[in-house]
Structure formats: C-alpha cells, structure tokens
Amino acid sequence: MKKILLLFTLILTVTTTMKAALKIDRIDPTDWYVGMQNPSLQLMVYGPGIGSAEVTTDYPGVRIDSLVRVDSPNYLLVYLNLSGAQPGEMKLQFKNGRQKKVVSYRLKSREKAGAARQGFTNADVLYMLMPDRFASGSDANDQIKGMNNYVVDRSQPSLRHGGDLEGLRQHLDYFVELGVTALWFTPVLENNSPDNNGFSTYHGYATTDYYKVDPRFGTNDEYRRLVDEAHQHGLKVVMDMIFNHCGFEHPWVKDMPSHDWINRPGWLKESKGSSDPTGTSFLQTSYKLTPVVDPYASEVDKRETVEGWFVPTMPDLNQKNPHVMTYLIQNSIWWIETVDIDGIRMDTYPYADAKGMARWMKILDEEYPNFNTVGETWVTEPAYTAAWQKNSKLSEENSYLKTVMDFSFFEKLSQAKNEETDAWWNGLNRIYNSFVYDFLYPNPSSVMAFIDNHDTDRFLGNGCDSLMLKQALALLLTVNRIPQLYYGTEILMNGTKEVTDGNVRKDFPGGFPNDSHNAFTKEGRTKAEQQMFQWTSRLLHWRQGNEVIIKGKQTQFIPYNGIYVIARQYKGHTALTILNGTTKHAIMDIKRYTEVIGDTKRAKDILTGHYYDISKDLELRPRQSVILEY
Ligand SMILES: [Ca+2]
C-alpha cells in the first residue's frame, strides 16, 4: 500500500511540474544597451525555481558567459557578453527539466557616446529640492491603489505632501529665472514602505524597486520628459541614488538572493520567528565614518560602520558581494542611458564598501569620462573628505569619486554666522582656516560646497538674518567650489531639525493647490522674499559662464579689521569678495590688498551696480557683503 501511495504521489508531482509553465516574474535590468565599453551584462532573472534553469540564445553577437546560481532557488544570474551585438529583440530560451520558456529581451542602441555626456562642474550651481515638498502637478497620483499604507497630509511634517515630477516640470522657468543651472532632487525611485513607527517614506531613501519611479512621483516616462525639458531650459539633472541600503519592502528582503546579499541579515531571520544560527544578528551602524580611513581602526568599529544598518527599516546591502555591486553599477548606467541624467549624487557614501564603490566609479569613469558623481561624505575634517576624492594620495586605494562634499565649509559657516570675526579664530576666520586645507584635495574646484541641505538646519535657523545669509551666499558662489543651494533659501525659508526633519523640508509656497502664498512669481512674493530672491538671482546670473569664478586663481587674506577678502583672478580680470564679519562698521585697509588690486581705481559692485573708488580705504556697513569686479 505504502509503495502504491508513493508511486501515486510521484506521478502527481511529475504531472504538476509538467503542467506548470516555467514562470519568470521579472528580469533586471528591464532592457539594455549595445555598444557599451564594457560588453558584459548581468541579468537577474526572478521566478519560482528559475535558479536551476539552463539558458541559451542564438542572438548574433551575444554569448552567455556564465550562469550563477545563488542560495535562493528563485533567482538566476545570467552573465552575457554583448560585444558583437546589434540592437534588437534578443530571444532567451530558458529550460528547466521539461519546462521551457522563451523570453524576449530588448537590446537598444545608445542615444549618445559615453564621452558626450557632460556632467556638472564648478561652472554649475546645483539647486537641491525634495519632490514631495516642492510642487504638485497632479492630485491623481496622491493615492495609488495597492501601495503600502501612507497618507497624504500636508499638515503633518513627516507624511507625504503630494509633490511630484510633473510639479517640478511645471516650474522649470522658475529655476531659469533664479539662475541655477542644475537640479538635484531627493530619490524618486519606488519607495513602497509603510509610513509607520515614525518611519517616513516621502524622502525616498528606502528604494523598493531600482528600475521604477515611485508612482506617487510619476512614471519613468515622466521622469524622462522632465529631464528632456530641463535640458531645453539649459538645466542639468542630478539623480540621487543609494547603494548602501534598500527599503525593507524590497523583494530581496522577503526572498534573499543569497545569505550574503544583505549585511547582518540575522535580524530578518529573527523577525520570521527563527533563531539566528549564523551569528549575524542585527547591527545598527554607529554612524561614525572615521573607522573607514583610520589607520588604527579596530575591526569591530569598521564592521559597525560599514555592515551596520542605517535604520532597522533599511537593510544594508553587501557591496563586497560582486553580484550585488554589479547589479547596482548596471542600475546607475541604465538610468544614465534611459533618462539622460547629467550627474549622480550618491547617498551615505562611506557607509558602503569602499572597494565596491571604487569599482563602480572606475567603470563609470571609463564609460563616461566627462560625467560627474558627488558622494555624500559627511565628516567635517577636510582631510577626511579629501581622502575620498579621486586620485587622492591620502588614501591607499583610488576612490575614483570626482566630487566630494565640503562639510567643513558647512560646519565652519554654521559656527561663524553667530560670531563676531576677531583677530584670531572666530567668525569668518573659521572659513579662512578651512580653505587653508585645500592643499589636501587633488581637485578643490570639484568639491561641492553648500550652506544648508535637507539633512541640516536651514541656514537661517528659526530667524531671518538676511545680512548673514548674503555673506554666506556671496562666499559660496564665488569660491573655488561647485556650489549647491537648498530650495527656498532664496526666499528666506527657515526652520531647524530640533522638532522634526520636516521643519527643514517645508512645502515651497505656491507649489500646491490652494496655496495662499505663491513665491514662484514676483507678484506673489513678500517684499523681503523678493529682495532676497532678486539679490540671489543677480549673483547667480553673474556667475553663469564667468571664467573668473570657474577658472580663476583664488587668493584669500587672513581676516583683518574683521573683514574677510577673497580674490579670484583670470586673464587680467578680478572678482573680489569682501565680507564685513562684524556687526560694526569696519574699515578695509586697501593697501593690504595691493597684490590683487594693483593700481585699479574703479571697481563695480556686481550686486548693486555701484562703482567704488578702490584706491582709497573702503568703509563697510555691519555685515555688509560686496563683490567687486574689475
Ligand atoms: Ca553599509
């Protein structure tokens, strides 16, 4: 009887298997490009039991290099070589036992050569914003059926407010009027995490699909349209990406491709009710980035930084696994080719495995030599950020990362704004001292500086001191850096993170239906907003294409009589930034600056149009900022 039962079960199993067609749920990347310098392509094929399938193709010029079977039976990594392939529909035959399936995979031609892609440089000014908080172009995408629970409620600083890509597209003229040349907005990829337990999703830093724009923000096509129209407006677009972690609702969490796909996955197992036999229990990152470069770092500290999770809802990806890294590298290339972005901003840079990230940057550099990526390197010591820049001698291995972020400038300015500039260390002396360390950077003009962003207090804090803000912007926009502005600073938006991050991420006035106040137009701005907007806009337009600022030699003078002076000089032209770092009238002793003034007598203040006689000492009003041109 037992034998008969066994036979029956066996027959039943075989018939079921034969009946069920081979199922493939998705293939990443969704399509690809021929004619890349690197002809290798990883396909991540996902479907029930696909891991044991064989794959063949007779598409001309395509060779299957290897099949990688990972721990989960539902993934198959197919490595192809496309070196001789032409664009077209490539048929891939999958065979698993007696089951077969033919899949059509699109190979596209590239729109332009890699070298033709010009990234952002110090000739640009990046305007950083959060799509959810900037402008809504449609209410139709506020609620999307089937997505994890979230609420659109503009009265709640940590919930979604309904901004989207269409809203951004409708305001491209605003950026042109302001005079910025590039937009960097926080991530737009699908972030299908629930808004709960204090975790917010509006910021987009918990990706759940690397190949799809979040429907609340729009579609992939809308993203492409936005980039195209931005280009028509002379604006570049920088895409925010995150390789360090993904969102907890990413399919990789439910069905981990391999045991080492995610760092410290023990917690995932614990949360499923089993014990943690691998000893890889959940680890929170220490948020301390120093162990990554510290010559004396202990292993435990290094592990905590790099393998620890950013927050429990963001699983830490293991970039040491070459398959993980290849997936991410291809993803960045796919977005460059598919939506024509001009740059990448990489989140939480030092939290990811440095070697894996260097491999990414090297591959991008080879494919797109003129493209640019900025890495978030949040340590306030110049030596630290300098070590992360491409070709740094301070680091054992080349990072190939062209642009790093100047958190030192940000920090020093945040202190200086509340101080009187004295004869030693306070006030603008801090900025002077920070720039001294530019000798550490292989390329100071490719360092990005900023005075505030979505993760910091706004420059104005809870106040409205536009005099100090003007000093900060005068510096930011004339020094040897790639400047980045944060949305709303130009119209005096303020706020601190003290209560909630949402307070530094308020809605741009006029971006949402029924806004009573519209700062997008001159008529809608208050008098104070308009004054600040106009001042900033004048400076930004003056900066555009200005070779003195883009290519000029920089000379700085130790603050004297409370006045800090920086000169930029190129081909006989000079721009002189003069800041009175005190709340008193101050006299600029003009003779100290002879080496940059020479016998010039008249200079134009680019902010007011007034001319100054610079053969005589200048008297400056409290906190006055002057940018002279001669
Ligand atoms: Ca990490």
Side-chain angles (χ1 to χ4, degrees):
M1 185 64 189
K2 260 187 185 171
K3 268 184 184 170
I4 293 169
L5 196 67
L6 191 69
L7 193 68
F8 181 71
T9 317
L10 202 67
I11 291 166
L12 193 73
T13 316
V14 170
T15 356
T16 320
T17 318
M18 277 172 69
K19 264 189 194 165
L22 191 57
K23 196 163 171 276
I24 292 174
D25 295 326
R26 75 181 275 163
I27 299 180
D28 285 345
T30 47
D31 45 34
W32 195 248
Y33 297 87
V34 295
M36 306 288 297
Q37 297 231 7
N38 174 9
S40 176
L41 170 65
Q42 173 206 73
L43 296 180
M44 176 182 260
V45 185
Y46 187 63
I50 197 70
S52 46
E54 293 298 331
V55 190
T56 55
T57 184
D58 50 12
Y59 193 79
V62 174
R63 188 178 77 220
I64 294 176
D65 275 345
S66 61
L67 299 179
V68 176
R69 305 183 199 284
V70 286
D71 298 344
S72 163
N74 306 318
Y75 292 88
L76 181 65
L77 300 177
V78 183
Y79 282 90
L80 302 171
N81 185 308
L82 310 177
S83 52
Q86 295 297 314
E89 296 289 328
M90 167 175 67
K91 298 269 187 278
L92 294 168
Q93 287 95 25
F94 290 83
K95 190 166 176 282
N96 202 358
R98 298 177 65 178
Q99 303 171 62
K100 285 179 186 169
K101 191 176 178 74
V102 178
V103 171
S104 197
Y105 189 88
R106 189 143 176 236
L107 294 175
K108 303 187 336 195
S109 56
R110 303 174 74 185
E111 284 176 19
K112 44 180 129 163
R117 296 190 178 275
Q118 178 66 54
F120 60 93
T121 66
N122 71 337
D124 291 301
V125 176
L126 276 68
Y127 187 87
M128 195 238 156
L129 61 87
M130 304 192 83
D132 182 62
R133 302 298 163 92
F134 195 72
S136 170
S138 163
D139 312 343
N141 55 18
D142 281 4
Q143 291 300 331
I144 304 287
K145 243 184 150 178
M147 295 200 78
N148 278 313
N149 65 301
Y150 65 97
V151 177
V152 174
D153 182 350
R154 290 184 59 207
S155 70
Q156 298 297 318
S158 300
L159 295 180
R160 286 184 177 266
H161 290 189
D164 49 38
L165 297 180
E166 176 57 16
L168 266 180
R169 194 190 65 80
Q170 290 170 3
H171 290 99
L172 291 172
D173 288 337
Y174 175 77
F175 308 120
V176 175
E177 190 195 351
L178 177 61
V180 294
T181 63
L183 306 176
W184 150 30
F185 37 92
T186 48
V188 294
L189 297 188
E190 186 197 84
N191 186 350
N192 190 18
S193 314
D195 274 319
N196 59 17
N197 300 325
F199 184 73
S200 307
T201 63
Y202 69 89
H203 54 66
Y205 285 102
T207 309
T208 53
D209 187 334
Y210 279 95
Y211 283 93
K212 186 181 166 202
V213 167
D214 192 292
R216 275 90 45 113
F217 291 143
T219 62
N220 288 11
D221 286 343
E222 279 179 290
Y223 189 19
R224 172 71 204 229
R225 182 178 175 200
L226 169 62
V227 176
D228 283 346
E229 291 193 25
H231 289 167
Q232 285 157 22
H233 281 76
L235 298 162
K236 295 174 181 170
V237 174
V238 177
M239 184 169 180
D240 205 330
M241 295 186 181
I242 320 113
F243 285 0
N244 180 60
H245 48 259
C246 62
F248 201 82
E249 281 66 29
H250 193 287
W252 288 340
V253 174
K254 274 196 200 77
D255 189 355
M256 246 202 297
S258 61
H259 67 282
D260 62 349
W261 202 263
I262 290 166
N263 286 320
R264 300 291 173 148
W267 191 59
L268 297 171
K269 291 175 193 152
E270 284 161 21
S271 67
K272 283 177 188 162
S274 65
S275 61
D276 179 17
T278 56
T280 53
S281 56
F282 174 70
L283 185 68
Q284 174 97 43
T285 180
S286 59
Y287 301 106
K288 295 190 176 80
L289 298 179
T290 42
V292 181
V293 296
D294 177 8
Y296 309 120
S298 60
E299 290 302 320
V300 62
D301 288 338
K302 281 197 265 190
R303 271 201 305 275
E304 254 175 42
T305 302
V306 178
E307 293 177 20
W309 290 24
F310 206 73
V311 291
T313 45
M314 292 176 175
D316 197 69
L317 297 174
N318 177 17
Q319 300 84 17
K320 285 193 178 94
N321 179 327
H323 305 300
V324 174
M325 205 59 227
T326 299
Y327 182 96
L328 296 169
I329 292 169
Q330 287 188 173
N331 182 252
S332 69
I333 292 171
W334 190 85
W335 285 106
I336 294 170
E337 295 288 330
T338 306
V339 298
D340 203 16
I341 50 168
D342 307 283
I344 293 171
R345 179 264 184 186
M346 180 50 65
D347 187 58
T348 47
Y349 206 93
Y351 290 91
D353 175 60
K355 279 187 183 161
M357 296 300 270
R359 190 185 134 213
W360 170 52
M361 283 286 80
K362 189 164 186 283
I363 287 175
L364 243 58
D365 209 10
E366 284 162 1
E367 196 72 59
Y368 310 105
N370 304 312
F371 191 79
N372 197 11
T373 298
V374 53
E376 184 197 27
T377 43
W378 196 330
V379 172
T380 56
E381 303 302 325
Y384 186 92
T385 39
W388 278 99
Q389 195 176 36
K390 183 184 172 185
N391 298 334
S392 173
K393 302 251 183 317
L394 302 173
S395 167
E396 274 176 29
E397 289 193 49
N398 199 341
S399 71
Y400 295 97
L401 172 65
K402 288 180 193 166
T403 297
V404 290
M405 283 171 73
D406 192 351
F407 277 92
S408 172
F409 177 77
F410 161 75
E411 189 209 30
K412 304 298 184 294
L413 197 60
S414 304
Q415 291 172 280
K417 69 183 176 188
N418 301 314
E419 296 172 345
E420 292 286 303
T421 300
D422 61 12
W424 285 104
W425 309 110
N426 290 330
L428 297 175
N429 288 290
R430 297 183 189 278
I431 310 296
Y432 163 82
N433 282 317
S434 186
F435 282 132
V436 167
Y437 294 97
D438 268 20
F439 69 84
L440 295 166
Y441 289 108
N443 186 2
S445 52
S446 191
V447 174
M448 191 168 96
F450 58 97
I451 64 170
D452 50 9
N453 70 25
H454 62 312
D455 286 327
T456 72
D457 286 349
R458 280 191 175 271
F459 184 84
L460 291 172
N462 289 320
C464 56
D465 181 1
S466 67
L467 281 179
M468 196 55 223
L469 177 58
K470 285 175 181 172
Q471 299 215 314
L473 291 174
L475 262 178
L476 178 70
L477 295 168
T478 57
V479 293
N480 187 22
R481 287 287 186 270
I482 301 172
Q484 173 246 303
L485 300 181
Y486 185 43
Y487 80 98
T489 297
E490 74 279 12
I491 51 150
L492 302 170
M493 277 175 74
N494 64 7
T496 69
K497 285 157 58 99
E498 207 176 350
V499 179
T500 160
D501 284 359
N503 281 345
V504 302
R505 303 164 175 182
K506 289 176 194 157
D507 297 346
F508 192 93
F512 295 81
N514 309 319
D515 274 358
S516 55
H517 172 200
N518 181 5
F520 283 114
T521 65
K522 186 181 170 187
E523 299 70 34
R525 287 173 210 130
T526 66
K527 203 177 158 198
E529 285 170 356
Q530 173 60 13
Q531 203 273 340
M532 193 66 222
F533 177 89
Q534 218 174 351
W535 186 93
T536 311
S537 174
R538 194 175 293 136
L539 180 49
L540 285 166
H541 283 282
W542 170 81
R543 193 187 188 281
Q544 277 182 25
N546 191 329
E547 290 196 313
V548 177
I549 301 301
I550 299 163
K551 298 180 182 167
K553 173 190 172 209
Q554 178 160 308
T555 306
Q556 66 166 348
F557 296 83
I558 298 172
Y560 188 78
N561 284 350
I563 299 168
Y564 180 36
V565 175
I566 292 190
R568 302 298 305 278
Q569 295 182 295
Y570 187 71
K571 289 188 175 171
H573 295 279
T574 302
L576 204 60
T577 304
I578 304 164
L579 307 175
N580 176 4
T582 72
T583 53
K584 299 180 185 69
H585 283 265
I587 303 291
M588 177 176 170
D589 177 3
I590 215 81
K591 285 191 297 294
R592 279 185 63 81
Y593 308 95
T594 303
E595 66 192 272
V596 293
I597 292 177
D599 54 6
T600 308
K601 298 211 166 12
R602 251 164 70 90
K604 185 183 173 186
D605 177 349
I606 64 109
L607 294 162
T608 61
H610 295 151
Y611 282 86
Y612 281 83
D613 177 356
I614 52 169
S615 62
K616 289 187 260 178
D617 291 352
L618 297 186
E619 191 183 341
L620 297 171
R621 296 190 301 276
R623 291 283 183 203
Q624 189 179 359
S625 311
V626 182
I627 300 173
L628 296 179
E629 181 178 61
Y630 50 89

